[in-house]
Amino acid sequence: MVSNEQKYKSATQEKPHSSKTDWLIKIKDLKESNSHTVNVQQTALLGDVSALITVKDLTVKYRQHTVLNNISFTMHRGEQWLVTGKAGIGKSALAKAISGSIYSNGVIDVHFSKSIELKKKVLFVEQWYHFNNSVGLQDFYYQQRYQSSDADDTITVLQDLQQSFGEDVKLAEAANHYVEQLGLSHRLNAPLIQLSSGEQKKLQLVKAFLQNVQVLVIDNPFIGLDVEARQNLNNIFDKLVQTGMHIILIADGEEIPNCITHVAELSEGLLQIETKRAYQQKHSKPEAQPQAFKEISFEHAPLPPFFEAVKLNNVSVKYGAKVVLQGINWRIKKGDKWLLQGHNGAGKSTLLSLLTGDNPQAYANEIYLFDKRRGTGETIWDIKKKIGYTSPELHWYFDANTTCIDTVVSGHFDTTGLYRKPTAEQTEEAEKWLSWLELTAIKNRKLRDVSVGEQRMLLLARALIKNPPLLILDEPCQGLDMHQSRQFVNIVDTLMDNSERTLIYVSHRMDQVPKCITGTMKLDGGKQQPQPQLNEQRA
């Protein structure tokens, strides 16, 4: 095996397809229902001059764990790829290796074009957007977003974008175009710390598009985006491809953008590549047997008595002149199962922060939790012990040095890490959850050393472990593969068979909403909207 950190080649000239290559492409089109695994021997034999990216014997190791082992494939010019596969299989590692973001063994050749104006560069866009505070550090804390006194700790969206385009008028015009398309114009003067997870994703994507690179690799581009933003992002991808840009997306196979020509599925050390149409035809067929999940039996103590889990009377939240929530009235009775909806930045996470004890403005409003008014002597820990909660923000700020099993155990203490010794019973309960979620093999690894999808499943188990009477799940399926998403939704429905358990569930995707949901609360611009019909949304 050749050991080489990264090797990139820029083609000296644009070469036409050879007749043999043209013949191969026609055969592939005729047989597109048949998948194929590309290897370097085929490429060498055919002398494939249309290659854009050629990978030979790629191996990636991370902290003594082999993530990818001897992967070989060729991506051709004119192809746009979606790379999929189960969580932890190495999709992100493959993307980072192609872009030169991590060390790898093997050979990666990228044949850049000299005939287009785009930069001869492969750009990798991570799943999350990382930004610095006003002194250049990523030194933020959980709940900081809801502290009005900390709003000046980061620059604004506009200032962040200006660092990307500087004095370049053409880039500034492009930035304005992308900002408008993704619905971020009204947030240009907002501090970065106050952006929702979906708004942060939009800003990250805009900055990536402004790089104008020949190969753009994006890890989970749709994560956290509302329906309209996902549609607009698809349109942007179509336009970028027309400029000669090549796109590789790491995502599940449920929503495949129009521009994608091929789907590459990573599984057990092989990259199986097929046309988008072949992939969709294969996965549109009903399964011979329904998808089986590990049986989960819940033997929990009785839930505490109360009549209403949540009651909000004319609740409003604002930061300076910015009104985030206005006149919200919401009653959630014991046993209710609610879906909370709204576009990116509508106020959903702020509303939930009032319930979880993370937002100090709860004390300035009339809010009742479990029949008791906030601010009448209860501590934040009294509130949290009755709520199982997970969200993108909790994931960002969780201590990544915690082991996987301790991550689950920490749910008993509502801390963003484990800082006390658990009982034997608490550890045993965590072991059960790891077994149910098929994560026992990683229990002693650090959270930072497992995939984002596995991290999310661990934090979901953390939310469930203490048998809470109220579950608040904010975008719980973000970062999960298709199997994990279906598995988790199945777990939620099983839990909700208990008529006394209460649920607030947030999702932009109806295919990731549990069947148990019976009511919908929708926010738009911080205001409560008439309840939409749930059956119409599921259709």
PDB file of all heavy atoms in Angstrom, residues 46-78:
ATOM      1  N   LEU A  46      -9.394   0.271 -18.465  1.00  0.00           N
ATOM      2  CA  LEU A  46     -10.106   1.022 -19.479  1.00  0.00           C
ATOM      3  C   LEU A  46      -9.387   2.299 -19.872  1.00  0.00           C
ATOM      4  O   LEU A  46      -9.740   2.933 -20.861  1.00  0.00           O
ATOM      5  CB  LEU A  46     -11.520   1.360 -18.983  1.00  0.00           C
ATOM      6  CG  LEU A  46     -12.445   0.162 -18.795  1.00  0.00           C
ATOM      7  CD1 LEU A  46     -13.725   0.605 -18.113  1.00  0.00           C
ATOM      8  CD2 LEU A  46     -12.770  -0.484 -20.134  1.00  0.00           C
ATOM      9  N   GLY A  47      -8.386   2.708 -19.057  1.00  0.00           N
ATOM     10  CA  GLY A  47      -7.711   3.970 -19.334  1.00  0.00           C
ATOM     11  C   GLY A  47      -8.696   5.116 -19.308  1.00  0.00           C
ATOM     12  O   GLY A  47      -8.798   5.893 -20.239  1.00  0.00           O
ATOM     13  N   ASP A  48      -9.479   5.234 -18.214  1.00  0.00           N
ATOM     14  CA  ASP A  48     -10.621   6.139 -18.145  1.00  0.00           C
ATOM     15  C   ASP A  48     -10.174   7.592 -18.064  1.00  0.00           C
ATOM     16  O   ASP A  48      -9.845   8.104 -17.010  1.00  0.00           O
ATOM     17  CB  ASP A  48     -11.468   5.773 -16.925  1.00  0.00           C
ATOM     18  CG  ASP A  48     -12.835   6.422 -16.983  1.00  0.00           C
ATOM     19  OD1 ASP A  48     -13.012   7.293 -17.835  1.00  0.00           O
ATOM     20  OD2 ASP A  48     -13.699   6.035 -16.193  1.00  0.00           O
ATOM     21  N   VAL A  49     -10.172   8.287 -19.206  1.00  0.00           N
ATOM     22  CA  VAL A  49      -9.707   9.672 -19.248  1.00  0.00           C
ATOM     23  C   VAL A  49     -10.789  10.645 -18.788  1.00  0.00           C
ATOM     24  O   VAL A  49     -10.540  11.839 -18.686  1.00  0.00           O
ATOM     25  CB  VAL A  49      -9.243  10.042 -20.670  1.00  0.00           C
ATOM     26  CG1 VAL A  49      -8.034   9.230 -21.039  1.00  0.00           C
ATOM     27  CG2 VAL A  49     -10.371   9.853 -21.683  1.00  0.00           C
ATOM     28  N   SER A  50     -12.017  10.167 -18.528  1.00  0.00           N
ATOM     29  CA  SER A  50     -13.082  11.057 -18.068  1.00  0.00           C
ATOM     30  C   SER A  50     -13.124  11.150 -16.547  1.00  0.00           C
ATOM     31  O   SER A  50     -14.021  11.753 -15.994  1.00  0.00           O
ATOM     32  CB  SER A  50     -14.440  10.562 -18.573  1.00  0.00           C
ATOM     33  OG  SER A  50     -14.808   9.353 -17.919  1.00  0.00           O
ATOM     34  N   ALA A  51     -12.164  10.551 -15.897  1.00  0.00           N
ATOM     35  CA  ALA A  51     -12.181  10.517 -14.437  1.00  0.00           C
ATOM     36  C   ALA A  51     -12.029  11.917 -13.850  1.00  0.00           C
ATOM     37  O   ALA A  51     -11.194  12.701 -14.279  1.00  0.00           O
ATOM     38  CB  ALA A  51     -11.079   9.609 -13.920  1.00  0.00           C
ATOM     39  N   LEU A  52     -12.842  12.220 -12.839  1.00  0.00           N
ATOM     40  CA  LEU A  52     -12.692  13.444 -12.059  1.00  0.00           C
ATOM     41  C   LEU A  52     -11.909  13.148 -10.781  1.00  0.00           C
ATOM     42  O   LEU A  52     -10.963  13.844 -10.440  1.00  0.00           O
ATOM     43  CB  LEU A  52     -14.068  14.017 -11.704  1.00  0.00           C
ATOM     44  CG  LEU A  52     -14.044  15.197 -10.728  1.00  0.00           C
ATOM     45  CD1 LEU A  52     -13.502  16.443 -11.417  1.00  0.00           C
ATOM     46  CD2 LEU A  52     -15.438  15.451 -10.143  1.00  0.00           C
ATOM     47  N   ILE A  53     -12.321  12.097 -10.084  1.00  0.00           N
ATOM     48  CA  ILE A  53     -11.651  11.682  -8.847  1.00  0.00           C
ATOM     49  C   ILE A  53     -11.368  10.188  -8.931  1.00  0.00           C
ATOM     50  O   ILE A  53     -12.269   9.393  -9.204  1.00  0.00           O
ATOM     51  CB  ILE A  53     -12.518  11.969  -7.609  1.00  0.00           C
ATOM     52  CG1 ILE A  53     -12.830  13.461  -7.502  1.00  0.00           C
ATOM     53  CG2 ILE A  53     -11.835  11.483  -6.331  1.00  0.00           C
ATOM     54  CD1 ILE A  53     -13.811  13.810  -6.400  1.00  0.00           C
ATOM     55  N   THR A  54     -10.130   9.823  -8.726  1.00  0.00           N
ATOM     56  CA  THR A  54      -9.747   8.415  -8.688  1.00  0.00           C
ATOM     57  C   THR A  54      -9.148   8.107  -7.315  1.00  0.00           C
ATOM     58  O   THR A  54      -8.213   8.777  -6.881  1.00  0.00           O
ATOM     59  CB  THR A  54      -8.714   8.084  -9.773  1.00  0.00           C
ATOM     60  OG1 THR A  54      -9.232   8.469 -11.052  1.00  0.00           O
ATOM     61  CG2 THR A  54      -8.407   6.601  -9.786  1.00  0.00           C
ATOM     62  N   VAL A  55      -9.709   7.113  -6.662  1.00  0.00           N
ATOM     63  CA  VAL A  55      -9.245   6.722  -5.327  1.00  0.00           C
ATOM     64  C   VAL A  55      -8.781   5.275  -5.385  1.00  0.00           C
ATOM     65  O   VAL A  55      -9.491   4.400  -5.881  1.00  0.00           O
ATOM     66  CB  VAL A  55     -10.376   6.877  -4.285  1.00  0.00           C
ATOM     67  CG1 VAL A  55      -9.939   6.344  -2.927  1.00  0.00           C
ATOM     68  CG2 VAL A  55     -10.787   8.341  -4.173  1.00  0.00           C
ATOM     69  N   LYS A  56      -7.571   5.030  -4.877  1.00  0.00           N
ATOM     70  CA  LYS A  56      -7.001   3.696  -4.886  1.00  0.00           C
ATOM     71  C   LYS A  56      -6.537   3.313  -3.482  1.00  0.00           C
ATOM     72  O   LYS A  56      -5.756   4.014  -2.859  1.00  0.00           O
ATOM     73  CB  LYS A  56      -5.814   3.637  -5.856  1.00  0.00           C
ATOM     74  CG  LYS A  56      -5.135   2.273  -5.907  1.00  0.00           C
ATOM     75  CD  LYS A  56      -3.969   2.281  -6.880  1.00  0.00           C
ATOM     76  CE  LYS A  56      -3.271   0.923  -6.908  1.00  0.00           C
ATOM     77  NZ  LYS A  56      -2.107   0.928  -7.823  1.00  0.00           N
ATOM     78  N   ASP A  57      -7.064   2.186  -3.011  1.00  0.00           N
ATOM     79  CA  ASP A  57      -6.623   1.592  -1.736  1.00  0.00           C
ATOM     80  C   ASP A  57      -6.656   2.592  -0.590  1.00  0.00           C
ATOM     81  O   ASP A  57      -5.702   2.712   0.199  1.00  0.00           O
ATOM     82  CB  ASP A  57      -5.211   1.016  -1.881  1.00  0.00           C
ATOM     83  CG  ASP A  57      -5.135  -0.100  -2.896  1.00  0.00           C
ATOM     84  OD1 ASP A  57      -6.163  -0.776  -3.108  1.00  0.00           O
ATOM     85  OD2 ASP A  57      -4.064  -0.295  -3.508  1.00  0.00           O
ATOM     86  N   LEU A  58      -7.752   3.308  -0.463  1.00  0.00           N
ATOM     87  CA  LEU A  58      -7.875   4.323   0.592  1.00  0.00           C
ATOM     88  C   LEU A  58      -8.157   3.657   1.929  1.00  0.00           C
ATOM     89  O   LEU A  58      -9.115   2.891   2.083  1.00  0.00           O
ATOM     90  CB  LEU A  58      -9.008   5.298   0.249  1.00  0.00           C
ATOM     91  CG  LEU A  58      -9.339   6.338   1.316  1.00  0.00           C
ATOM     92  CD1 LEU A  58      -8.162   7.296   1.529  1.00  0.00           C
ATOM     93  CD2 LEU A  58     -10.598   7.108   0.945  1.00  0.00           C
ATOM     94  N   THR A  59      -7.316   3.963   2.914  1.00  0.00           N
ATOM     95  CA  THR A  59      -7.502   3.482   4.278  1.00  0.00           C
ATOM     96  C   THR A  59      -7.423   4.669   5.234  1.00  0.00           C
ATOM     97  O   THR A  59      -6.531   5.496   5.138  1.00  0.00           O
ATOM     98  CB  THR A  59      -6.437   2.448   4.655  1.00  0.00           C
ATOM     99  OG1 THR A  59      -6.587   1.287   3.809  1.00  0.00           O
ATOM    100  CG2 THR A  59      -6.574   2.001   6.108  1.00  0.00           C
ATOM    101  N   VAL A  60      -8.394   4.742   6.138  1.00  0.00           N
ATOM    102  CA  VAL A  60      -8.431   5.813   7.130  1.00  0.00           C
ATOM    103  C   VAL A  60      -8.558   5.183   8.511  1.00  0.00           C
ATOM    104  O   VAL A  60      -9.441   4.353   8.740  1.00  0.00           O
ATOM    105  CB  VAL A  60      -9.610   6.777   6.880  1.00  0.00           C
ATOM    106  CG1 VAL A  60      -9.682   7.825   8.001  1.00  0.00           C
ATOM    107  CG2 VAL A  60      -9.484   7.454   5.528  1.00  0.00           C
ATOM    108  N   LYS A  61      -7.672   5.580   9.405  1.00  0.00           N
ATOM    109  CA  LYS A  61      -7.741   5.138  10.798  1.00  0.00           C
ATOM    110  C   LYS A  61      -7.923   6.353  11.689  1.00  0.00           C
ATOM    111  O   LYS A  61      -7.358   7.413  11.437  1.00  0.00           O
ATOM    112  CB  LYS A  61      -6.477   4.387  11.192  1.00  0.00           C
ATOM    113  CG  LYS A  61      -6.309   3.053  10.474  1.00  0.00           C
ATOM    114  CD  LYS A  61      -5.101   2.276  10.994  1.00  0.00           C
ATOM    115  CE  LYS A  61      -4.996   0.922  10.308  1.00  0.00           C
ATOM    116  NZ  LYS A  61      -3.850   0.139  10.808  1.00  0.00           N
ATOM    117  N   TYR A  62      -8.725   6.168  12.740  1.00  0.00           N
ATOM    118  CA  TYR A  62      -8.965   7.266  13.672  1.00  0.00           C
ATOM    119  C   TYR A  62      -8.893   6.726  15.088  1.00  0.00           C
ATOM    120  O   TYR A  62      -9.680   5.874  15.480  1.00  0.00           O
ATOM    121  CB  TYR A  62     -10.337   7.892  13.418  1.00  0.00           C
ATOM    122  CG  TYR A  62     -10.633   9.099  14.276  1.00  0.00           C
ATOM    123  CD1 TYR A  62      -9.960  10.300  14.076  1.00  0.00           C
ATOM    124  CD2 TYR A  62     -11.573   9.033  15.305  1.00  0.00           C
ATOM    125  CE1 TYR A  62     -10.229  11.410  14.858  1.00  0.00           C
ATOM    126  CE2 TYR A  62     -11.838  10.143  16.095  1.00  0.00           C
ATOM    127  CZ  TYR A  62     -11.159  11.319  15.870  1.00  0.00           C
ATOM    128  OH  TYR A  62     -11.411  12.413  16.660  1.00  0.00           O
ATOM    129  N   ARG A  63      -7.880   7.189  15.838  1.00  0.00           N
ATOM    130  CA  ARG A  63      -7.679   6.762  17.227  1.00  0.00           C
ATOM    131  C   ARG A  63      -7.695   5.237  17.342  1.00  0.00           C
ATOM    132  O   ARG A  63      -8.480   4.661  18.090  1.00  0.00           O
ATOM    133  CB  ARG A  63      -8.733   7.389  18.141  1.00  0.00           C
ATOM    134  CG  ARG A  63      -8.674   8.915  18.173  1.00  0.00           C
ATOM    135  CD  ARG A  63      -9.668   9.470  19.178  1.00  0.00           C
ATOM    136  NE  ARG A  63      -9.764  10.907  19.101  1.00  0.00           N
ATOM    137  CZ  ARG A  63      -8.950  11.768  19.727  1.00  0.00           C
ATOM    138  NH1 ARG A  63      -7.979  11.290  20.483  1.00  0.00           N
ATOM    139  NH2 ARG A  63      -9.114  13.064  19.607  1.00  0.00           N
ATOM    140  N   GLN A  64      -6.874   4.596  16.552  1.00  0.00           N
ATOM    141  CA  GLN A  64      -6.657   3.144  16.561  1.00  0.00           C
ATOM    142  C   GLN A  64      -7.809   2.352  15.929  1.00  0.00           C
ATOM    143  O   GLN A  64      -7.766   1.123  15.877  1.00  0.00           O
ATOM    144  CB  GLN A  64      -6.434   2.621  17.996  1.00  0.00           C
ATOM    145  CG  GLN A  64      -5.358   3.362  18.776  1.00  0.00           C
ATOM    146  CD  GLN A  64      -4.023   3.375  18.041  1.00  0.00           C
ATOM    147  OE1 GLN A  64      -3.590   2.346  17.528  1.00  0.00           O
ATOM    148  NE2 GLN A  64      -3.375   4.536  17.997  1.00  0.00           N
ATOM    149  N   HIS A  65      -8.837   3.026  15.477  1.00  0.00           N
ATOM    150  CA  HIS A  65      -9.956   2.335  14.841  1.00  0.00           C
ATOM    151  C   HIS A  65      -9.888   2.527  13.327  1.00  0.00           C
ATOM    152  O   HIS A  65      -9.735   3.653  12.845  1.00  0.00           O
ATOM    153  CB  HIS A  65     -11.295   2.867  15.361  1.00  0.00           C
ATOM    154  CG  HIS A  65     -11.511   2.646  16.824  1.00  0.00           C
ATOM    155  ND1 HIS A  65     -11.892   1.426  17.345  1.00  0.00           N
ATOM    156  CD2 HIS A  65     -11.370   3.484  17.880  1.00  0.00           C
ATOM    157  CE1 HIS A  65     -11.993   1.527  18.656  1.00  0.00           C
ATOM    158  NE2 HIS A  65     -11.676   2.768  19.011  1.00  0.00           N
ATOM    159  N   THR A  66      -9.985   1.433  12.572  1.00  0.00           N
ATOM    160  CA  THR A  66      -9.998   1.513  11.111  1.00  0.00           C
ATOM    161  C   THR A  66     -11.392   1.895  10.650  1.00  0.00           C
ATOM    162  O   THR A  66     -12.353   1.150  10.850  1.00  0.00           O
ATOM    163  CB  THR A  66      -9.585   0.171  10.484  1.00  0.00           C
ATOM    164  OG1 THR A  66      -8.257  -0.151  10.905  1.00  0.00           O
ATOM    165  CG2 THR A  66      -9.615   0.256   8.970  1.00  0.00           C
ATOM    166  N   VAL A  67     -11.508   3.059  10.042  1.00  0.00           N
ATOM    167  CA  VAL A  67     -12.804   3.564   9.591  1.00  0.00           C
ATOM    168  C   VAL A  67     -13.077   3.150   8.150  1.00  0.00           C
ATOM    169  O   VAL A  67     -14.184   2.752   7.805  1.00  0.00           O
ATOM    170  CB  VAL A  67     -12.847   5.102   9.724  1.00  0.00           C
ATOM    171  CG1 VAL A  67     -14.212   5.633   9.318  1.00  0.00           C
ATOM    172  CG2 VAL A  67     -12.518   5.529  11.154  1.00  0.00           C
ATOM    173  N   LEU A  68     -12.058   3.253   7.290  1.00  0.00           N
ATOM    174  CA  LEU A  68     -12.148   2.815   5.901  1.00  0.00           C
ATOM    175  C   LEU A  68     -10.951   1.923   5.612  1.00  0.00           C
ATOM    176  O   LEU A  68      -9.839   2.211   6.047  1.00  0.00           O
ATOM    177  CB  LEU A  68     -12.140   4.006   4.944  1.00  0.00           C
ATOM    178  CG  LEU A  68     -13.291   5.007   5.061  1.00  0.00           C
ATOM    179  CD1 LEU A  68     -13.025   6.224   4.185  1.00  0.00           C
ATOM    180  CD2 LEU A  68     -14.611   4.362   4.672  1.00  0.00           C
ATOM    181  N   ASN A  69     -11.162   0.864   4.843  1.00  0.00           N
ATOM    182  CA  ASN A  69     -10.091  -0.082   4.587  1.00  0.00           C
ATOM    183  C   ASN A  69     -10.042  -0.454   3.101  1.00  0.00           C
ATOM    184  O   ASN A  69     -10.933  -1.120   2.583  1.00  0.00           O
ATOM    185  CB  ASN A  69     -10.279  -1.349   5.433  1.00  0.00           C
ATOM    186  CG  ASN A  69      -9.085  -2.280   5.355  1.00  0.00           C
ATOM    187  OD1 ASN A  69      -7.956  -1.835   5.157  1.00  0.00           O
ATOM    188  ND2 ASN A  69      -9.336  -3.565   5.497  1.00  0.00           N
ATOM    189  N   ASN A  70      -8.991   0.031   2.409  1.00  0.00           N
ATOM    190  CA  ASN A  70      -8.738  -0.326   1.010  1.00  0.00           C
ATOM    191  C   ASN A  70      -9.924  -0.041   0.078  1.00  0.00           C
ATOM    192  O   ASN A  70     -10.338  -0.891  -0.715  1.00  0.00           O
ATOM    193  CB  ASN A  70      -8.338  -1.803   0.894  1.00  0.00           C
ATOM    194  CG  ASN A  70      -6.948  -2.044   1.441  1.00  0.00           C
ATOM    195  OD1 ASN A  70      -6.157  -1.113   1.597  1.00  0.00           O
ATOM    196  ND2 ASN A  70      -6.650  -3.288   1.764  1.00  0.00           N
ATOM    197  N   ILE A  71     -10.461   1.162   0.183  1.00  0.00           N
ATOM    198  CA  ILE A  71     -11.562   1.572  -0.686  1.00  0.00           C
ATOM    199  C   ILE A  71     -10.989   2.103  -2.001  1.00  0.00           C
ATOM    200  O   ILE A  71     -10.071   2.923  -2.008  1.00  0.00           O
ATOM    201  CB  ILE A  71     -12.408   2.673  -0.022  1.00  0.00           C
ATOM    202  CG1 ILE A  71     -13.083   2.139   1.244  1.00  0.00           C
ATOM    203  CG2 ILE A  71     -13.450   3.224  -0.998  1.00  0.00           C
ATOM    204  CD1 ILE A  71     -14.168   1.144   0.986  1.00  0.00           C
ATOM    205  N   SER A  72     -11.555   1.650  -3.125  1.00  0.00           N
ATOM    206  CA  SER A  72     -11.133   2.126  -4.442  1.00  0.00           C
ATOM    207  C   SER A  72     -12.359   2.429  -5.294  1.00  0.00           C
ATOM    208  O   SER A  72     -13.338   1.678  -5.279  1.00  0.00           O
ATOM    209  CB  SER A  72     -10.271   1.071  -5.151  1.00  0.00           C
ATOM    210  OG  SER A  72      -9.080   0.804  -4.439  1.00  0.00           O
ATOM    211  N   PHE A  73     -12.314   3.548  -6.019  1.00  0.00           N
ATOM    212  CA  PHE A  73     -13.438   3.898  -6.894  1.00  0.00           C
ATOM    213  C   PHE A  73     -13.017   5.040  -7.810  1.00  0.00           C
ATOM    214  O   PHE A  73     -11.977   5.689  -7.610  1.00  0.00           O
ATOM    215  CB  PHE A  73     -14.679   4.306  -6.090  1.00  0.00           C
ATOM    216  CG  PHE A  73     -14.496   5.559  -5.280  1.00  0.00           C
ATOM    217  CD1 PHE A  73     -14.763   6.812  -5.809  1.00  0.00           C
ATOM    218  CD2 PHE A  73     -14.067   5.483  -3.963  1.00  0.00           C
ATOM    219  CE1 PHE A  73     -14.593   7.961  -5.057  1.00  0.00           C
ATOM    220  CE2 PHE A  73     -13.896   6.622  -3.199  1.00  0.00           C
ATOM    221  CZ  PHE A  73     -14.155   7.868  -3.750  1.00  0.00           C
ATOM    222  N   THR A  74     -13.845   5.317  -8.810  1.00  0.00           N
ATOM    223  CA  THR A  74     -13.650   6.447  -9.712  1.00  0.00           C
ATOM    224  C   THR A  74     -14.956   7.212  -9.859  1.00  0.00           C
ATOM    225  O   THR A  74     -16.014   6.613 -10.072  1.00  0.00           O
ATOM    226  CB  THR A  74     -13.186   5.978 -11.103  1.00  0.00           C
ATOM    227  OG1 THR A  74     -11.925   5.320 -10.984  1.00  0.00           O
ATOM    228  CG2 THR A  74     -13.035   7.170 -12.049  1.00  0.00           C
ATOM    229  N   MET A  75     -14.876   8.512  -9.732  1.00  0.00           N
ATOM    230  CA  MET A  75     -16.008   9.394 -10.006  1.00  0.00           C
ATOM    231  C   MET A  75     -15.701  10.126 -11.304  1.00  0.00           C
ATOM    232  O   MET A  75     -14.621  10.692 -11.450  1.00  0.00           O
ATOM    233  CB  MET A  75     -16.214  10.400  -8.869  1.00  0.00           C
ATOM    234  CG  MET A  75     -17.337  11.398  -9.111  1.00  0.00           C
ATOM    235  SD  MET A  75     -17.562  12.516  -7.691  1.00  0.00           S
ATOM    236  CE  MET A  75     -18.859  13.597  -8.327  1.00  0.00           C
ATOM    237  N   HIS A  76     -16.637  10.109 -12.252  1.00  0.00           N
ATOM    238  CA  HIS A  76     -16.401  10.673 -13.574  1.00  0.00           C
ATOM    239  C   HIS A  76     -16.911  12.107 -13.686  1.00  0.00           C
ATOM    240  O   HIS A  76     -17.770  12.546 -12.923  1.00  0.00           O
ATOM    241  CB  HIS A  76     -17.083   9.811 -14.643  1.00  0.00           C
ATOM    242  CG  HIS A  76     -16.617   8.393 -14.651  1.00  0.00           C
ATOM    243  ND1 HIS A  76     -17.196   7.433 -13.853  1.00  0.00           N
ATOM    244  CD2 HIS A  76     -15.621   7.779 -15.347  1.00  0.00           C
ATOM    245  CE1 HIS A  76     -16.582   6.273 -14.057  1.00  0.00           C
ATOM    246  NE2 HIS A  76     -15.624   6.453 -14.955  1.00  0.00           N
ATOM    247  N   ARG A  77     -16.381  12.810 -14.673  1.00  0.00           N
ATOM    248  CA  ARG A  77     -16.847  14.160 -14.947  1.00  0.00           C
ATOM    249  C   ARG A  77     -18.337  14.138 -15.320  1.00  0.00           C
ATOM    250  O   ARG A  77     -18.806  13.224 -15.994  1.00  0.00           O
ATOM    251  CB  ARG A  77     -16.054  14.778 -16.096  1.00  0.00           C
ATOM    252  CG  ARG A  77     -14.576  14.973 -15.778  1.00  0.00           C
ATOM    253  CD  ARG A  77     -13.881  15.741 -16.893  1.00  0.00           C
ATOM    254  NE  ARG A  77     -12.448  15.769 -16.659  1.00  0.00           N
ATOM    255  CZ  ARG A  77     -11.847  16.571 -15.788  1.00  0.00           C
ATOM    256  NH1 ARG A  77     -12.584  17.429 -15.093  1.00  0.00           N
ATOM    257  NH2 ARG A  77     -10.545  16.545 -15.628  1.00  0.00           N
ATOM    258  N   GLY A  78     -19.042  15.137 -14.870  1.00  0.00           N
ATOM    259  CA  GLY A  78     -20.469  15.214 -15.155  1.00  0.00           C
ATOM    260  C   GLY A  78     -21.326  14.485 -14.150  1.00  0.00           C
ATOM    261  O   GLY A  78     -22.553  14.621 -14.158  1.00  0.00           O
TER     262      GLY A  78
END
